[in-house]
Amino acid sequence: MRADVIVVGLGHAGIEAALAAARLGRRVAAIVPERSRIGRMSCNPAIGGSAKSQLVRELDALGGQMARAADATGIQFRRLNASRGPAVHATRVLCDRERYAAEMQRVVLGQPTLEVIEDSAIGLLREGSRVVGVRLAREGAVEGRAVVLTTGTFLSAVLHTGESTTDGGRVGEAPARGISEDLRALGLRLGRFKTGTPPRLLASTIDFERTELQPGDDPPRPLSFWTEATGFPRLRQRPCWLTHTSPRTHEVVRGSLHRSPLYQGRIEGRGPRYCPSLEDKVVRFAARERHAVFLEPEGLESPLVYPAGLSTSLPPDAQLAFLRTISGLEGVEMAQPGYAVEYDHVPATQLDRRLALGDSGLFLAGQINGTSGYEEAAVQGFWAGVNAARWASGEPAWGLARERAHLAVLVDELVTRESGEPMRMFTSLSEARLHLREGNADLRLAGEGRALGLVGDRDAGRVVARRARIDGEVARLGSTMALPDRETLAALAREGLAPFLKPVPLAELLARPEARWEALRRAIPEGAPSLELVDLEEVEAEVKYAGYARRAGREQSRVAGQLGWAIPEGFEFLGLAGLSAELQERLTRARPKTLAEASALPGVTTAALAVVGVHLARLRRGEAGCA
């Protein structure tokens, strides 16, 4: 068989890669050992969360599938960080695990020009430095112009539970063998990472009365921009529950550390810093008396509960012992113990910005690139899938500037900064994080999705109409004056809002950090807009962040005007205040002769250029003064 694009693996990265390439009209062959494995949630049954929902919304705006699948199978929708600024608002969707996989299988198997091959990939076909296909365990080989590897945690993978070690990338599933050797033969350096998962608990053995109820939003809001409000949510909604570990829990864990593969030295790979195992929490945060545990149902009919926060690779008997020291879990039974998985990854600094290995025709996406999380994997899959499709037909590479999307920041960080641990996305990594909000991802990126051919005319038209509504309301707020009469000031005081002394535009009142639409609408009813809540929130965000946006625009303009400036020979980057140590070293090694040359270096942002520009300006002023 021959294809334009071959995708190895159909987890979160592989699904988005295969769908994107097929929807761009390429013939795609996707390889997975069993169709039932398509779209499996290996760890937690949720999509989104802080920073992650921004990624999923951007993927959605470009034409990806993850947010739509989450909406179709969500059993709890929660808005996180709602009391904080709009830039960090985030949606988290708890999904029915089995229904999520079934929904993704339905979409993938029904996609024209996408053929799913049930087989195991055991190696790469190469012609010199070019990758021209994939060797299969049963069906010989598949040839193709481009290959996208999305092998997740399966490359030479080993599972650890206490003293027990078995080959596998997930319980009951064999690892991928042979591909690691072929990657090394292509000149790639491999590393070793590890991740883990908690035990699965039988809901019937949990005393939920001894835990704290965690309901979802009422009414819930969809994650995808394209989900129709009619008939949403599709599924009955379920609560989660909160409990905590106890000092007795930590005693059990400490008493079992000598049986932990992490502390026996049998696991060499580093795990994700921001998702540590319970063993790590107990050791690293010894002064903490308790840690939160969220009990999440795995589906409407599932008998299982996922205890988020209890990732562990202790022996099963130790796991059961510490579980029974937690409030509500005193009589709990495990359906499956937790475990750690150790696997090969490829440090992505060896790839270019397409997530490709030069002109080899090989693209990598997901956990193989050293990331952690479904959402990070999905956006990489989309990015690599689009570029593989374009490579296969001789089209130029596709990408976005990091100022336009968090997913572009993620790719930049991956290919320019090597991490010693699985990387996850944070909004703080983006210089433009105040602009790159969950609520405006469609406004920022749907046009790009339309240009790619992955967003249809109807959806693109909806975004154009939304942009017009928001712009019209922002303009109205800027031109409608609020008068400081006694009645208005009294109403503001009742809402806890400070008074004003002269007529001001409504936009100026809304721009105050403490002001919220609801309070302002109650205080000044005549200024109330007639927009839906989702548009109101975006109007508020644009008004509040307008000053920051103008400042950022001035900074970008100033830096653009400085790009031609020469950097004197011997200019000292090391120790330059405002630059990270990594950028100081990179600029020192590269010795750019101008700011324009510096801007072309990986990882050098507008903010970094502004820092260098400030120091150059001081030098220029000094030279002018000496003339």
Side-chain angles (χ1 to χ4, degrees):
M1 177 184 172
R2 185 167 184 82
D4 297 319
V5 177
I6 303 169
V7 177
V8 179
L10 281 172
H12 304 288
I15 285 171
E16 299 294 349
L19 289 175
R23 289 167 177 173
L24 289 174
R26 308 302 182 268
R27 290 172 298 143
V28 178
I31 301 165
V32 66
E34 298 172 12
R35 293 186 178 192
S36 62
R37 297 188 188 182
I38 296 172
R40 279 194 182 175
M41 293 174 138
S42 300
C43 198
N44 64 303
I47 299 295
S50 296
K52 294 173 177 288
S53 72
Q54 282 87 340
L55 291 176
V56 178
R57 284 270 183 131
E58 291 175 348
L59 174 63
D60 185 56
L62 288 166
Q65 194 65 35
M66 177 173 269
R68 295 178 189 244
D71 283 350
T73 61
I75 58 175
Q76 186 187 89
F77 294 75
R78 290 192 71 185
R79 193 82 179 278
L80 308 181
N81 306 323
S83 62
R84 300 171 62 190
V88 293
H89 289 174
T91 301
R92 186 176 189 269
V93 184
L94 180 68
C95 298
D96 184 304
R97 187 188 295 274
E98 294 302 322
R99 284 183 169 90
Y100 183 90
E103 173 66 11
M104 282 303 199
Q105 290 161 24
R106 180 189 69 80
V107 172
V108 168
L109 296 174
Q111 176 63 44
T113 76
L114 169 54
E115 181 175 349
V116 174
I117 299 172
E118 289 187 293
D119 208 333
S120 296
I122 58 173
L124 302 175
L125 293 177
R126 291 182 290 122
E127 292 181 358
S129 60
R130 282 277 288 117
V131 176
V132 296
V134 174
R135 290 184 286 117
L136 303 177
R138 296 189 298 271
E139 298 298 327
V142 181
E143 296 181 353
R145 297 178 184 175
V147 173
V148 185
L149 282 184
T150 67
T151 49
T153 61
F154 281 80
L155 275 189
S156 302
V158 176
L159 302 179
H160 298 270
T161 306
E163 293 91 351
S164 172
T165 300
T166 57
D167 289 346
R170 193 160 47 201
V171 165
E173 298 181 29
R177 297 290 186 193
I179 296 177
S180 291
E181 290 72 19
D182 287 340
L183 293 173
R184 291 188 180 96
L186 286 165
L188 286 167
R189 174 173 47 87
L190 274 61
R192 200 81 171 149
F193 275 164
K194 80 98 180 172
T195 189
T197 190
R200 303 306 195 269
L201 312 180
L202 289 173
S204 60
T205 64
I206 297 174
D207 183 0
F208 292 106
E209 295 297 322
R210 294 177 54 79
T211 66
E212 180 183 336
L213 188 69
Q214 298 277 293
D217 294 342
D218 185 17
R221 301 192 211 180
L223 183 58
S224 171
F225 293 105
W226 320 122
T227 296
E228 297 290 348
T230 303
F232 176 83
R234 294 190 192 177
L235 301 179
R236 176 167 50 89
Q237 299 296 282
R238 291 285 305 275
C240 296
W241 298 267
L242 172 64
T243 186
H244 294 85
T245 62
S246 67
R248 177 62 183 141
T249 313
H250 303 176
E251 288 179 21
V252 174
V253 171
R254 279 191 289 267
S256 304
L257 287 177
H258 65 285
R259 304 172 65 198
S260 165
L262 283 172
Y263 290 88
Q264 289 176 338
R266 290 193 291 111
I267 294 180
E268 299 176 2
R270 285 284 300 276
R273 178 187 310 181
Y274 300 100
C275 188
S277 67
L278 183 59
E279 297 94 290
D280 275 341
K281 289 179 184 178
V282 168
V283 172
R284 288 165 50 191
F285 309 107
R288 291 276 296 274
E289 291 191 350
R290 66 178 196 168
H291 296 281
V293 180
F294 292 93
L295 303 176
E296 302 178 336
E298 294 208 347
L300 293 181
E301 291 87 29
S302 174
L304 303 182
V305 166
Y306 179 93
L310 290 182
S311 175
T312 181
S313 57
L314 287 172
D317 63 297
Q319 293 186 36
L320 191 59
F322 79 62
L323 284 167
R324 289 180 173 177
T325 66
I326 297 172
S327 181
L329 306 184
E330 291 86 351
V332 77
E333 295 290 346
M334 293 190 302
Q336 174 188 298
Y339 60 89
V341 56
E342 195 175 15
Y343 57 95
D344 285 348
H345 80 282
V346 176
T349 49
Q350 300 168 97
L351 308 178
D352 61 30
R353 205 168 180 271
R354 299 169 301 159
L355 297 180
L357 177 62
D359 291 329
S360 67
L362 179 66
F363 298 75
L364 282 73
Q367 284 181 278
I368 190 175
N369 285 341
T371 58
S372 172
Y374 302 157
E375 301 81 3
E376 287 88 342
V379 298
Q380 289 176 70
F382 180 89
W383 190 287
V386 169
N387 277 299
R390 294 172 73 89
W391 161 270
S393 59
E395 297 177 68
W398 173 82
L400 296 168
R402 62 186 287 141
E403 291 80 13
R404 292 191 62 192
H406 284 297
L407 59 86
V409 174
L410 172 64
V411 171
D412 269 358
E413 295 292 314
L414 278 176
V415 300
T416 60
R417 303 185 186 188
E418 186 164 339
S419 174
E421 63 194 34
M423 181 250 188
R424 68 157 290 181
M425 183 64 187
F426 292 96
T427 56
S428 59
L429 292 172
S430 172
E431 302 80 9
R433 55 188 171 274
L434 295 182
H435 174 58
L436 305 182
R437 302 184 294 274
E438 180 190 271
N440 69 0
D442 60 329
L443 303 175
R444 291 185 281 115
L445 297 175
E448 185 73 28
R450 179 72 188 91
L452 279 172
L454 296 173
V455 172
D457 291 338
R458 178 176 175 272
D459 287 338
R462 289 170 59 188
V463 175
V464 170
R466 183 180 185 227
R467 178 76 270 173
R469 290 195 303 271
I470 291 169
D471 287 347
E473 182 57 25
V474 170
R476 187 186 74 84
L477 291 172
S479 60
T480 302
M481 305 300 288
L483 302 177
D485 53 66
R486 181 178 301 175
E487 184 179 344
T488 298
L489 295 180
L492 287 172
R494 286 195 297 272
E495 297 294 341
L497 301 175
F500 56 100
L501 302 177
K502 62 180 181 179
V504 296
L506 287 173
E508 188 173 321
L509 293 180
L510 185 58
R512 295 176 174 184
E514 74 279 6
R516 290 292 181 267
W517 259 122
E518 296 83 353
L520 201 60
R521 178 160 45 187
R522 287 191 295 267
I524 310 177
E526 64 272 20
S530 57
L531 299 180
E532 294 182 4
L533 180 60
V534 66
D535 291 342
L536 269 179
E537 290 176 341
E538 186 53 33
V539 169
E540 181 177 330
E542 293 196 3
V543 169
K544 286 188 183 302
Y545 291 144
Y548 298 102
R550 287 192 293 270
R551 188 186 311 163
R554 289 194 297 269
E555 179 113 306
Q556 289 177 0
S557 297
R558 181 166 63 83
V559 168
Q562 296 173 343
L563 288 179
W565 285 10
I567 300 176
E569 189 174 345
F571 182 84
E572 190 58 74
F573 293 103
L574 293 177
L576 206 61
L579 284 186
S580 68
E582 187 172 357
L583 280 182
Q584 291 176 26
E585 293 174 5
R586 183 170 293 140
L587 289 163
T588 298
R589 287 196 304 270
R591 302 302 325 174
K593 294 182 173 59
T594 65
L595 272 182
E597 288 186 14
S599 70
L601 295 173
V604 176
T605 64
T606 299
L609 293 172
V611 168
V612 178
V614 166
H615 290 275
L616 289 178
R618 290 173 182 165
L619 285 177
R620 290 162 70 93
R621 285 196 298 271
E623 291 171 0
C626 295

